[in-house]
Amino acid sequence: MARDLLKQDAGSQALLRQAEDRLEMPLRRLMLDGPEAELQATENAQPAIVFHSLALLRQVTAYGVEPLAIAGHSLGEFAGLVAAEALAPLDALSAVRARGEAMSVAAPSGTGMVAVLGLADAVVERLCAATSNVVVANYNAPGQVVISGTNAGLEAIGPKLEAAGARRLVRLSVSGAFHSPLMAQAAQVFAAAWTKIPLGSLRRPQVFNADARVHQTAAEARRLTVGQLTGPVRWTQSVQRLQQLGVDAYVEIGPRRTLTGLVKKILPAAVVHNIEDLASMKAVLETIHVR
């Protein structure tokens, strides 16, 4: 992760040193050498992903590109708050480290998440409502949602989803039923740490997952980023809201290109770019209009 940035960019190297001091964790080793299982633990993966995103964001803004509006998917809301100039980069890393630790420690056992492909949102919602301990956790794109619940609930709803025409069900490799009421204790633990981290008003409009609406006060941002731990990520609706705000080009910043694909499914005609390393950043910045 971020190998090219850490090899070639002095600013990324400095940010990493500061992050390791602040978080008291071997972020460089985890990102570059793993082991993969340790990196994928949510308390480690969250700061690693956000660091990667922030290092790229620093490069993009230095080039002179500024977002007209912002949205982040789940964890990405914290990098979004940095882009909105409401949260300092090191404070964002502290926040997601605390978030990851809360989700790791306080997530109940015997729970999980399943991606449901090929069904309308309304059908999945109806089946979840008729099944105990299962809820919709992510509205990722039309025909692509994720559900969370107890293992028993997920096993019970599987045949119902298949009978309704689901093309595929994929059990996700996660440690809990994220974005569901089962994460209430984790949300409380995270909220206690989050309130101690400085957060200002947002200087750019950010669409939040919890309600797919723009919010720009610190109090609202805190409430909504805690609330998304126990409620669904409304990514489809968030992207549609960005379109309503007049956004005509979307740039994903961070490792991999998952959101790029989701945005194209939500808005097939949209102009979408992905920046995941220095090479892709240079290619994208040469093609997009600098406002």
Side-chain angles (χ1 to χ4, degrees):
M1 294 183 68
R3 186 178 296 274
D4 61 340
L5 288 160
L6 294 175
K7 183 177 180 180
Q8 302 177 43
D9 178 48
S12 297
Q13 296 166 6
L15 179 61
L16 179 65
R17 289 192 296 270
Q18 295 168 351
E20 290 191 319
D21 289 344
R22 170 75 72 90
L23 303 180
E24 298 182 337
M25 63 179 293
L27 196 55
R28 174 188 289 272
R29 174 181 65 78
L30 289 169
M31 294 179 68
L32 299 183
D33 301 317
E36 187 174 359
E38 187 178 354
L39 174 61
Q40 288 181 342
T42 191
E43 65 272 22
N44 297 326
Q46 294 199 30
I49 291 168
V50 170
F51 173 84
H52 193 149
S53 300
L54 294 180
L56 289 168
L57 177 65
R58 176 185 168 277
Q59 292 278 332
V60 171
T61 55
Y63 189 83
V65 176
E66 297 183 1
L68 299 178
I70 299 158
H73 187 289
S74 185
L75 172 68
E77 290 198 318
F78 294 88
L81 288 169
V82 176
E85 299 185 8
L87 185 62
L90 289 177
D91 289 334
L93 291 167
S94 293
V96 298
R97 175 67 166 176
R99 183 180 184 269
E101 289 175 339
M103 293 170 69
S104 175
V105 172
S109 60
T111 63
M113 305 178 77
V114 171
V116 182
L117 306 180
L119 283 181
D121 295 353
V123 174
V124 180
E125 290 170 344
R126 175 174 56 80
L127 293 175
C128 284
T131 307
S132 298
N133 298 316
V134 182
V135 297
V136 177
N138 294 41
Y139 295 90
N140 282 337
Q144 186 171 336
V145 301
V146 177
I147 58 176
S148 284
T150 63
N151 288 341
L154 294 173
E155 290 172 5
I157 200 173
K160 301 176 186 178
L161 293 166
E162 291 173 337
R167 187 172 73 252
R168 190 179 175 199
L169 303 178
V170 181
R171 181 70 182 240
L172 302 185
S173 180
V174 295
S175 57
F178 301 154
H179 305 297
S180 82
L182 294 168
M183 297 299 294
Q185 184 180 354
Q188 292 177 356
V189 173
F190 170 59
W194 186 208
T195 56
K196 299 175 184 177
I197 296 174
L199 179 67
S201 297
L202 285 67
R203 298 183 63 182
R204 297 187 177 95
Q206 180 166 344
V207 177
F208 284 84
N209 294 166
D211 61 3
R213 294 182 180 276
V214 172
H215 299 272
Q216 291 188 252
T217 71
E220 290 173 331
R222 286 192 197 276
R223 175 179 61 82
L224 293 162
T225 47
V226 171
Q228 54 129 291
L229 288 178
T230 56
V233 171
R234 301 182 183 277
W235 184 248
T236 298
Q237 299 89 336
S238 295
V239 173
Q240 291 168 342
R241 181 72 65 185
L242 290 173
Q243 183 187 42
Q244 292 171 6
L245 294 173
V247 173
D248 56 8
Y250 301 78
V251 181
E252 177 183 6
I253 298 177
R256 301 186 179 176
R257 44 193 319 120
T258 302
L259 301 186
T260 300
L262 294 180
V263 172
K264 287 297 289 184
K265 290 180 180 178
I266 298 165
L267 303 175
V271 176
V272 186
H273 303 284
N274 167 263
I275 297 176
E276 58 183 338
D277 52 28
L278 287 175
S280 58
M281 182 192 71
K282 292 175 182 177
V284 169
L285 295 182
E286 288 176 358
T287 60
I288 67 174
H289 175 62
V290 180
R291 298 180 186 270

